[in-house]
């Protein structure tokens, strides 16, 4: 069940990140989910480092850090995806 939850969270974070980033991102949905999951891991790591990973209520700071991580990963991943796809088209 934890993998299903991770996929759902990755999808939600990835789609929100794509909505926040200006312009159109060209990464496919499956890559959006993976980047969202990676952003969640990055945000959890940052929250642990800041000491706000586990609080008494809703972990808003941790969730915001997860979203920020997803935005960063999606933005970088989209640029890499576009550059790799562009190179592939040039060689064929």
């Amino acid at each position: 069940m934890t993998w299903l939850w991770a996929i759902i969270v990755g999808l939600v974070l990835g789609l929100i990140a794509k909505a926040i980033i200006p312009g159109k991102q060209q990464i496919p949905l499956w890559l959006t989910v993976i980047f969202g999951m990676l952003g969640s891991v990055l945000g959890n790591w940052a929250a642990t480092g800041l000491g706000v990973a586990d609080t008494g209520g809703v972990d808003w700071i941790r969730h915001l850090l997860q979203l920020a991580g997803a935005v960063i990963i999606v933005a970088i991943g989209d640029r890499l995806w576009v550059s790799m796809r562009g190179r592939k088209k040039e060689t064929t």
Side-chain angles (χ1 to χ4, degrees):
M1 191 66 172
T2 56
W3 278 105
L4 178 61
W5 187 245
I7 291 169
I8 292 168
V9 169
L11 174 65
V12 170
L13 283 174
L15 290 175
I16 293 172
K18 284 178 79 169
I20 290 173
I21 299 169
K24 182 179 183 332
Q25 291 74 43
Q26 299 178 13
I27 56 174
L29 185 61
W30 63 270
L31 205 50
T32 301
V33 172
I34 292 172
F35 289 162
M37 291 169 68
L38 290 173
S40 176
V41 170
L42 180 64
N44 282 337
W45 176 76
T48 302
L50 294 172
V52 295
D54 294 314
T55 59
V58 178
D59 297 329
W60 291 111
I61 297 172
R62 180 173 55 100
H63 295 318
L64 288 174
L65 288 170
Q66 288 175 336
L67 180 58
V71 168
I72 292 168
I73 298 291
V74 167
I76 293 171
D78 181 61
R79 292 294 97 209
L80 290 172
W81 177 262
V82 169
S83 69
M84 287 176 55
R85 299 293 287 184
R87 273 194 226 135
K88 189 183 264 188
K89 288 179 182 175
E90 289 174 7
T91 59
T92 57

